[in-house]
Amino acid sequence: MDVPENSQIVKSLLDEKNLIHQSKHCLLDLYNCDVLKLNDESFLRCTINNAAKKANARVLNLISHKFEPQGVTAIALLSESHLSIHTWPESHYAAIDIFTCGQNMNPDIASNYLIKALMAQEHMLRFINRNHPS
Amino acid sequence: MDVPENSQIVKSLLDEKNLIHQSKHCLLDLYNCDVLKLNDESFLRCTINNAAKKANARVLNLISHKFEPQGVTAIALLSESHLSIHTWPESHYAAIDIFTCGQNMNPDIASNYLIKALMAQEHMLRFINRNHPS
């Protein structure tokens, strides 16, 4: 069946709107990481900044906190949403979120970079769809 | 069968360790919210700060960004991990994460507070277990 030209334009605009709003939430758990790196606040700030940039995201702000006796949280506020890491050096473990909106950012690139940077021997990567009403 | 006293102590310590490390990730999608509130950076900073405190969390840092022409991101770095909100006023929609570690914080209280504060007429709440190796 031939589709009327106007319908194609409307469909294309709707697809574009959906892509612009498409939110993906990537949950990455890293196991058996390098303990020293998990406890190094400066390294982690630099690492999530690099991960975001390599994934084509724009970092608007970056905050972090070093816990006592160990563990770090670092969070980057992005044009494309956020990237966060929480580390538990005593368990050689890190929990990472990469929340992306739109098509600019590639969370797979950020994930692969973080897996290597923290020398994780195992990892679990899950993608959760956020149900934007558009 | 009687459990030897030492086993009970070991079990209790292991349970306590698991509770301390237990991470819950609460994904909250809010629909048909008040548009003006979704675009009000100061209100949203105050709201996530209140939500965290009511849920018994400690806010260590709080950052936000107002996008043009609309939309806000606000992120609170907590002792218990993080609480973030991203808003799309044009869709009357907000995506919220409440990542908690340990037993101190009650994410249900934060969720209920945010649903009411943003006057969401519908919402979807999901809990995702983060698989801490302990």
Side-chain angles (χ1 to χ4, degrees):
Chain A
M1 189 181 81
D2 283 345
V3 179
E5 200 176 328
N6 279 352
S7 298
Q8 281 186 330
I9 293 169
V10 169
K11 185 178 179 302
S12 166
L13 286 171
L14 283 173
D15 285 348
E16 192 181 333
K17 191 181 174 204
N18 283 337
L19 287 175
I20 288 167
H21 284 109
Q22 197 172 62
S23 298
K24 272 191 286 187
H25 199 145
C26 160
L27 307 181
L28 176 62
D29 293 277
L30 299 185
Y31 303 100
N32 297 319
C33 300
D34 182 285
V35 176
L36 293 178
K37 292 183 194 301
L38 289 179
N39 213 26
D40 184 336
E41 185 179 7
S42 304
F43 170 80
L44 292 170
R45 287 178 67 93
C46 183
T47 299
I48 67 166
N49 191 49
N50 287 344
K53 287 184 174 171
K54 281 178 186 288
N56 203 31
R58 194 155 67 99
V59 177
L60 299 173
N61 204 339
L62 201 160
I63 52 175
S64 60
H65 186 85
K66 172 95 165 65
F67 293 91
E68 290 301 332
Q70 56 197 344
V72 173
T73 286
I75 306 174
L77 192 161
L78 310 175
S79 275
E80 296 76 10
S81 291
H82 75 261
L83 197 167
S84 67
I85 182 165
H86 305 285
T87 73
W88 287 263
E90 69 275 30
S91 307
H92 302 206
Y93 169 70
I96 293 165
D97 282 16
I98 308 169
F99 190 159
T100 68
C101 176
Q103 296 299 296
N104 281 348
M105 186 179 177
N106 187 332
D108 289 313
I109 292 176
S111 298
N112 288 331
Y113 179 80
L114 290 162
I115 292 164
K116 284 180 191 158
L118 290 163
M119 302 172 77
Q121 289 175 36
E122 293 172 67
H123 69 271
M124 185 169 67
L125 177 61
R126 289 173 285 178
F127 282 95
I128 313 281
N129 273 326
R130 298 303 290 252
N131 297 301
H132 195 287
S134 68
Chain B
M1 188 182 80
D2 284 345
V3 178
E5 200 176 327
N6 278 350
S7 298
Q8 279 186 330
I9 293 169
V10 169
K11 185 178 179 305
S12 167
L13 286 171
L14 284 172
D15 285 348
E16 192 180 334
K17 191 183 174 204
N18 282 337
L19 287 174
I20 288 169
H21 284 109
Q22 196 173 62
S23 298
K24 271 191 287 191
H25 199 147
C26 161
L27 307 182
L28 176 63
D29 292 277
L30 299 186
Y31 303 102
N32 296 319
C33 300
D34 183 284
V35 176
L36 292 178
K37 292 184 195 300
L38 289 180
N39 213 26
D40 185 336
E41 185 178 6
S42 303
F43 170 81
L44 291 170
R45 288 177 67 92
C46 183
T47 299
I48 68 165
N49 191 48
N50 287 344
K53 287 184 174 170
K54 282 179 186 287
N56 203 31
R58 193 155 68 97
V59 177
L60 299 174
N61 204 340
L62 201 159
I63 53 175
S64 59
H65 186 86
K66 173 96 164 65
F67 293 91
E68 288 304 331
Q70 55 196 348
V72 174
T73 287
I75 306 173
L77 192 163
L78 310 175
S79 276
E80 297 77 11
S81 292
H82 75 259
L83 197 166
S84 67
I85 182 166
H86 305 284
T87 74
W88 288 264
E90 69 276 28
S91 307
H92 302 207
Y93 168 70
I96 292 166
D97 283 16
I98 309 170
F99 189 159
T100 67
C101 176
Q103 296 300 295
N104 280 346
M105 184 178 180
N106 187 333
D108 288 314
I109 292 176
S111 299
N112 288 331
Y113 178 81
L114 290 162
I115 291 165
K116 285 179 188 157
L118 290 164
M119 302 172 76
Q121 289 173 40
E122 293 173 68
H123 70 271
M124 183 170 68
L125 178 60
R126 290 173 283 179
F127 282 96
I128 313 280
N129 274 327
R130 299 302 292 252
N131 298 302
H132 195 289
S134 66

